[in-house]
Every structure is written in structure tokens, then in C-alpha cells.
Amino acid sequence: MATSPTQLTLKNLRERGYMSEVVEHWNSFARIRQDLFGIIDVIGVGNGETIAVQSTSYTNTSARQKKMMDSIALPELRDANWKIEIHGWHKVKNRWKVRIIDLS
């Protein structure tokens, strides 16, 4: 992928009216990327709500969904009335398309 799923999600959220930022970070000691609460790559605020997004390739959406469903953070985010989505990105006829799975 020339453009990362995270960058595509940032653009998507901003087009939908959210102020958005990446909340995953590089842990240099463990040499891995760490998501916020273990499941969130991007946070958006706007439209009267907070949205948390796990951004990935289209082929990894089911694995990310399982990861999120197994997380102890998911019920807490739902209780806080956060909108929770998975964005699975793939190219169709040379254009980026997103599959959005709502886990709210």
C-alpha cells in the first residue's frame, strides 16, 4: 500500500466532519506499534460525538474485529457512548474503498 490505512482513515474522518488524530505510537523498547487501549489507531471528535477507529487492510478486518471484541476496553468505550468502527481499506478500479464495521 502506497498510502497507509491510517492516513486514509484520517482523511475519511475529516471529510465526515471530525477533528481526528492518530493515537497509536511506536514503542521503541518492544519494537512494535501500540494502539490506544490496545485497539484504537485514530480518534475523531465532532458531530457531537467521539469516534474510535481501528484502521486496517480489507483482508484483515475479521482479525481486527475479533481482537476488538475480545478486548476489555470495548465495553468501557461503549459505556462512554463512543462510536467504534473498523475501517478496512482496499483498492477497486484504482480507487480506495473502505468497508466500515460499526462495533458501537
Side-chain angles (χ1 to χ4, degrees):
M1 280 188 165
T3 305
S4 75
T6 301
Q7 291 303 312
L8 292 167
T9 291
L10 283 170
K11 183 175 185 261
N12 176 276
L13 290 179
R14 290 173 180 155
E15 288 171 352
R16 290 167 53 190
Y18 295 96
M19 289 189 334
S20 56
E21 290 294 332
V22 176
V23 292
E24 70 175 354
H25 69 278
W26 176 253
N27 181 329
S28 60
F29 296 104
R31 296 192 171 138
I32 59 170
R33 289 212 160 274
Q34 290 185 314
D35 298 340
L36 180 66
F37 305 125
I39 59 172
I40 301 168
D41 295 328
V42 177
I43 291 282
V45 177
N47 305 318
E49 64 187 0
T50 301
I51 184 169
V53 180
Q54 172 66 231
S55 186
T56 189
S57 64
Y58 183 84
T59 57
N60 285 327
T61 53
S62 61
R64 295 300 185 268
Q65 185 172 1
K66 180 178 180 351
K67 173 184 169 181
M68 292 180 80
M69 295 301 289
D70 292 343
S71 171
I72 61 171
L74 188 62
E76 297 296 330
L77 297 173
R78 286 175 171 160
D79 286 347
N81 294 317
W82 282 26
K83 186 171 186 168
I84 304 153
E85 294 180 347
I86 300 170
H87 289 190
W89 292 94
H90 65 290
K91 269 195 170 178
V92 176
K93 296 183 181 179
N94 212 29
R95 293 187 61 125
W96 286 108
K97 299 288 183 181
V98 64
R99 174 182 177 206
I100 297 176
I101 300 171
D102 190 341
L103 298 180
S104 304

